[in-house]
Each structure stands twice: as C-alpha cells, then as structure tokens.
Amino acid sequence: MTDGIEALFFEKAIIQDDPQKQFELLKQADYYAKQNKNLPLKALIREKLTSN
C-alpha cells in the first residue's frame, strides 16, 4: 500500500527551501524506503541526510 511513497517524500524534500522541513521529509522518505526495501533510494536519502 505504501509502494512509491518514499519517492514522493524524497521529491518533496529536494525542492524544499527550508532545511528543517527538508530534513523531516528526508526522514519520512528514509522510513518508507526501508519499509518498501527500496535500497537504492535509501542510499541516496542517506547521502542527502549526511550532507546537511
């Protein structure tokens, strides 16, 4: 039921100007990427989270 939601959160985070909101959206994307076993996106999310 949550397939693809991680990509939506990730896309919203990328266009977000507010760093705090971006961080929160990336955390949500990370959670759903883990749930859906989307490992390539999870790795990309982790890169973004650690670069901030």
Side-chain angles (χ1 to χ4, degrees), residues 10 22-31 42-52:
F10 182 74
Q22 183 180 49
F23 181 75
E24 290 301 319
L25 288 166
L26 285 170
K27 286 189 344 186
Q28 289 178 309
D30 186 57
Y31 170 80
K42 186 161 176 53
L44 187 57
I45 293 166
R46 283 288 168 195
E47 271 184 42
K48 291 286 187 185
L49 283 170
T50 57
S51 69
N52 289 339

Side-chain angles (χ1 to χ4, degrees), residues 32-43:
Y32 285 111
K34 181 180 178 183
Q35 295 298 312
N36 295 330
K37 297 175 177 63
N38 188 340
L39 299 180
L41 184 58
K42 186 161 176 53

